[in-house]
CSV table of all heavy atoms in Angstrom, one decimal:
chain,number,residue,atom,x,y,z
D,112,LYS,N,-33.3,156.4,15.4
D,112,LYS,CA,-34.5,155.5,15.6
D,112,LYS,C,-34.7,155.1,17.0
D,112,LYS,O,-35.8,154.7,17.4
D,112,LYS,CB,-34.4,154.3,14.7
D,112,LYS,CG,-34.5,154.6,13.2
D,112,LYS,CD,-34.5,153.4,12.3
D,112,LYS,CE,-34.6,153.7,10.8
D,112,LYS,NZ,-34.6,152.5,10.0
D,113,ILE,N,-33.6,155.0,17.8
D,113,ILE,CA,-33.8,154.5,19.2
D,113,ILE,C,-33.7,155.7,20.2
D,113,ILE,O,-33.8,155.4,21.4
D,113,ILE,CB,-32.8,153.4,19.5
D,113,ILE,CG1,-31.4,153.9,19.4
D,113,ILE,CG2,-33.0,152.2,18.7
D,113,ILE,CD1,-30.8,154.5,20.7
D,114,SER,N,-33.5,156.9,19.8
D,114,SER,CA,-33.3,158.0,20.7
D,114,SER,C,-34.4,158.2,21.7
D,114,SER,O,-34.2,158.4,22.9
D,114,SER,CB,-32.9,159.3,20.0
D,114,SER,OG,-34.0,159.7,19.1
D,115,ILE,N,-35.7,158.2,21.2
D,115,ILE,CA,-36.8,158.5,22.1
D,115,ILE,C,-36.9,157.3,23.1
D,115,ILE,O,-37.3,157.6,24.3
D,115,ILE,CB,-38.1,158.7,21.3
D,115,ILE,CG1,-39.2,159.1,22.2
D,115,ILE,CG2,-38.5,157.4,20.5
D,115,ILE,CD1,-39.0,160.4,22.9
D,116,ASP,N,-36.6,156.1,22.7
D,116,ASP,CA,-36.7,155.0,23.6
D,116,ASP,C,-35.6,155.1,24.7
D,116,ASP,O,-35.9,154.8,25.9
D,116,ASP,CB,-36.5,153.6,22.9
D,116,ASP,CG,-37.6,153.3,21.9
D,116,ASP,OD1,-38.8,153.7,22.3
D,116,ASP,OD2,-37.4,152.7,20.9
D,117,LEU,N,-34.4,155.6,24.3
D,117,LEU,CA,-33.4,155.8,25.3
D,117,LEU,C,-33.7,156.9,26.3
D,117,LEU,O,-33.4,156.8,27.5
D,117,LEU,CB,-32.1,156.1,24.6
D,117,LEU,CG,-30.8,156.3,25.5
D,117,LEU,CD1,-30.6,155.1,26.3
D,117,LEU,CD2,-29.6,156.6,24.6
D,118,ILE,N,-34.4,158.0,25.8
D,118,ILE,CA,-34.8,159.0,26.6
D,118,ILE,C,-35.7,158.5,27.7
D,118,ILE,O,-35.5,158.8,28.9
D,118,ILE,CB,-35.5,160.1,25.8
D,118,ILE,CG1,-34.5,160.9,25.0
D,118,ILE,CG2,-36.3,161.1,26.7
D,118,ILE,CD1,-35.2,161.8,23.9
D,119,PHE,N,-36.7,157.7,27.4
D,119,PHE,CA,-37.6,157.1,28.4
D,119,PHE,C,-36.9,156.2,29.3
D,119,PHE,O,-37.2,156.1,30.5
D,119,PHE,CB,-38.8,156.4,27.7
D,119,PHE,CG,-39.9,157.3,27.3
D,119,PHE,CD1,-40.0,157.8,26.1
D,119,PHE,CD2,-40.8,157.7,28.3
D,119,PHE,CE1,-41.1,158.7,25.7
D,119,PHE,CE2,-41.9,158.5,28.0
D,119,PHE,CZ,-42.0,159.0,26.7
D,120,LYS,N,-35.9,155.4,28.8
D,120,LYS,CA,-35.1,154.5,29.7
D,120,LYS,C,-34.3,155.3,30.7
D,120,LYS,O,-34.2,154.8,31.9
D,120,LYS,CB,-34.2,153.6,28.8
D,120,LYS,CG,-35.0,152.5,28.1
D,120,LYS,CD,-34.0,151.5,27.4
D,120,LYS,CE,-33.4,150.6,28.4
D,120,LYS,NZ,-34.3,149.6,29.0
D,121,ILE,N,-33.8,156.4,30.3
D,121,ILE,CA,-33.0,157.2,31.3
D,121,ILE,C,-34.0,157.8,32.3
D,121,ILE,O,-33.6,157.9,33.5
D,121,ILE,CB,-32.2,158.3,30.6
D,121,ILE,CG1,-31.1,157.7,29.7
D,121,ILE,CG2,-31.5,159.2,31.6
D,121,ILE,CD1,-30.4,158.6,28.8
D,122,PHE,N,-35.1,158.3,31.9
D,122,PHE,CA,-36.1,158.9,32.8
D,122,PHE,C,-36.5,157.8,33.8
D,122,PHE,O,-36.6,158.0,35.0
D,122,PHE,CB,-37.3,159.4,32.1
D,122,PHE,CG,-37.3,160.8,31.7
D,122,PHE,CD1,-37.4,161.2,30.4
D,122,PHE,CD2,-37.1,161.8,32.7
D,122,PHE,CE1,-37.4,162.6,30.1
D,122,PHE,CE2,-37.1,163.1,32.4
D,122,PHE,CZ,-37.2,163.5,31.0
D,123,GLU,N,-36.8,156.6,33.3
D,123,GLU,CA,-37.2,155.5,34.2
D,123,GLU,C,-36.1,155.1,35.1
D,123,GLU,O,-36.3,154.8,36.3
D,123,GLU,CB,-37.5,154.3,33.3
D,123,GLU,CG,-38.0,153.0,34.1
D,123,GLU,CD,-38.3,151.9,33.2
D,123,GLU,OE1,-38.6,152.1,32.0
D,123,GLU,OE2,-38.3,150.7,33.7
D,124,ALA,N,-34.8,155.0,34.7
D,124,ALA,CA,-33.7,154.7,35.5
D,124,ALA,C,-33.6,155.7,36.7
D,124,ALA,O,-33.3,155.3,37.8
D,124,ALA,CB,-32.4,154.6,34.7
D,125,ASN,N,-33.8,156.9,36.4
D,125,ASN,CA,-33.7,158.0,37.4
D,125,ASN,C,-34.8,158.0,38.4
D,125,ASN,O,-34.6,157.9,39.6
D,125,ASN,CB,-33.5,159.3,36.7
D,125,ASN,CG,-32.9,160.4,37.6
D,125,ASN,OD1,-32.1,160.0,38.5
D,125,ASN,ND2,-33.2,161.6,37.4
D,126,PHE,N,-36.0,158.1,37.8
D,126,PHE,CA,-37.2,158.3,38.7
D,126,PHE,C,-37.9,157.1,39.2
D,126,PHE,O,-38.5,157.2,40.3
D,126,PHE,CB,-38.2,159.2,37.9
D,126,PHE,CG,-37.9,160.6,37.9
D,126,PHE,CD1,-37.4,161.2,36.7
D,126,PHE,CD2,-38.1,161.4,39.0
D,126,PHE,CE1,-37.1,162.6,36.7
D,126,PHE,CE2,-37.8,162.8,39.0
D,126,PHE,CZ,-37.3,163.3,37.8
D,127,ILE,N,-37.8,156.0,38.6
D,127,ILE,CA,-38.4,154.7,39.1
D,127,ILE,C,-37.4,153.8,39.8
D,127,ILE,O,-37.6,153.4,40.9
D,127,ILE,CB,-39.1,154.0,37.9
D,127,ILE,CG1,-40.2,154.9,37.4
D,127,ILE,CG2,-39.6,152.7,38.4
D,127,ILE,CD1,-41.0,154.3,36.2
D,128,ASP,N,-36.3,153.6,39.1
D,128,ASP,CA,-35.2,152.7,39.7
D,128,ASP,C,-34.3,153.4,40.6
D,128,ASP,O,-33.5,152.8,41.3
D,128,ASP,CB,-34.5,152.0,38.6
D,128,ASP,CG,-35.4,151.1,37.7
D,128,ASP,OD1,-36.4,150.6,38.3
D,128,ASP,OD2,-35.1,151.0,36.5
D,129,ASN,N,-34.3,154.8,40.5
D,129,ASN,CA,-33.3,155.6,41.3
D,129,ASN,C,-31.9,155.2,41.1
D,129,ASN,O,-31.1,155.2,42.1
D,129,ASN,CB,-33.7,155.6,42.8
D,129,ASN,CG,-35.0,156.3,43.1
D,129,ASN,OD1,-35.7,155.9,44.1
D,129,ASN,ND2,-35.4,157.3,42.3
D,130,GLU,N,-31.5,154.9,39.9
D,130,GLU,CA,-30.1,154.7,39.5
D,130,GLU,C,-29.4,156.0,39.4
D,130,GLU,O,-30.0,157.1,39.2
D,130,GLU,CB,-30.0,153.8,38.3
D,130,GLU,CG,-30.7,152.5,38.4
D,130,GLU,CD,-30.4,151.6,37.1
D,130,GLU,OE1,-29.2,151.2,37.0
D,130,GLU,OE2,-31.3,151.4,36.4
D,131,ILE,N,-28.1,155.9,39.4
D,131,ILE,CA,-27.2,157.1,39.2
D,131,ILE,C,-27.0,157.3,37.8
D,131,ILE,O,-26.1,156.7,37.2
D,131,ILE,CB,-25.9,156.9,40.0
D,131,ILE,CG1,-26.2,156.6,41.5
D,131,ILE,CG2,-25.1,158.2,39.9
D,131,ILE,CD1,-27.1,157.6,42.2
D,132,ILE,N,-27.7,158.2,37.1
D,132,ILE,CA,-27.6,158.4,35.7
D,132,ILE,C,-26.4,159.2,35.2
D,132,ILE,O,-26.2,159.4,34.0
D,132,ILE,CB,-28.9,159.0,35.1
D,132,ILE,CG1,-29.2,160.4,35.7
D,132,ILE,CG2,-30.1,158.0,35.3
D,132,ILE,CD1,-30.3,161.1,35.0
D,133,ALA,N,-25.6,159.6,36.2
D,133,ALA,CA,-24.3,160.2,35.9
D,133,ALA,C,-23.2,159.2,35.7
D,133,ALA,O,-22.1,159.5,35.3
D,133,ALA,CB,-23.9,161.3,36.9
D,134,ASP,N,-23.6,158.0,36.1
D,134,ASP,CA,-22.6,156.8,36.1
D,134,ASP,C,-22.5,156.3,34.7
D,134,ASP,O,-23.6,155.9,34.1
D,134,ASP,CB,-23.1,155.7,37.0
D,134,ASP,CG,-22.1,154.6,37.2
D,134,ASP,OD1,-21.4,154.3,36.2
D,134,ASP,OD2,-22.0,154.1,38.3
D,135,ILE,N,-21.3,156.3,34.1
D,135,ILE,CA,-21.2,155.8,32.7
D,135,ILE,C,-21.6,154.4,32.6
D,135,ILE,O,-22.3,154.0,31.6
D,135,ILE,CB,-19.7,155.9,32.3
D,135,ILE,CG1,-19.3,157.4,32.1
D,135,ILE,CG2,-19.4,155.1,31.0
D,135,ILE,CD1,-17.9,157.7,31.7
D,136,ASP,N,-21.4,153.5,33.6
D,136,ASP,CA,-21.8,152.1,33.5
D,136,ASP,C,-23.3,152.0,33.3
D,136,ASP,O,-23.8,151.2,32.6
D,136,ASP,CB,-21.4,151.4,34.7
D,136,ASP,CG,-19.9,151.1,34.8
D,136,ASP,OD1,-19.2,151.2,33.7
D,136,ASP,OD2,-19.3,150.9,35.9
D,137,VAL,N,-24.0,152.9,34.1
D,137,VAL,CA,-25.5,152.9,34.0
D,137,VAL,C,-26.0,153.3,32.6
D,137,VAL,O,-26.8,152.6,32.0
D,137,VAL,CB,-26.1,153.8,35.0
D,137,VAL,CG1,-27.6,154.0,34.8
D,137,VAL,CG2,-25.9,153.3,36.4
D,138,LEU,N,-25.4,154.3,32.0
D,138,LEU,CA,-25.8,154.8,30.7
D,138,LEU,C,-25.4,153.8,29.6
D,138,LEU,O,-26.1,153.6,28.6
D,138,LEU,CB,-25.1,156.1,30.4
D,138,LEU,CG,-25.6,157.3,31.3
D,138,LEU,CD1,-24.8,158.6,31.0
D,138,LEU,CD2,-27.1,157.5,31.1
D,139,VAL,N,-24.3,153.1,29.8
D,139,VAL,CA,-23.8,152.1,28.8
D,139,VAL,C,-24.8,150.9,28.8
D,139,VAL,O,-25.2,150.4,27.8
D,139,VAL,CB,-22.4,151.6,29.1
D,139,VAL,CG1,-22.1,150.4,28.3
D,139,VAL,CG2,-21.4,152.7,28.8
D,140,LYS,N,-25.2,150.5,30.0
D,140,LYS,CA,-26.2,149.4,30.2
D,140,LYS,C,-27.5,149.8,29.5
D,140,LYS,O,-28.1,149.0,28.8
D,140,LYS,CB,-26.4,149.1,31.6
D,140,LYS,CG,-27.5,148.0,31.9
D,140,LYS,CD,-27.1,146.7,31.4
D,140,LYS,CE,-28.0,145.6,31.9
D,140,LYS,NZ,-29.4,145.8,31.7
Side-chain angles (χ1 to χ4, degrees):
K112 291 184 179 180
I113 61 92
S114 61
I115 188 64
D116 294 327
L117 183 56
I118 289 168
F119 273 99
K120 285 186 75 69
I121 295 174
F122 270 124
E123 179 181 339
N125 200 31
F126 279 104
I127 295 178
D128 300 328
N129 292 152
E130 296 189 72
I131 306 304
I132 60 170
D134 189 325
I135 288 179
D136 289 338
V137 171
L138 294 175
V139 168
K140 174 64 166 57

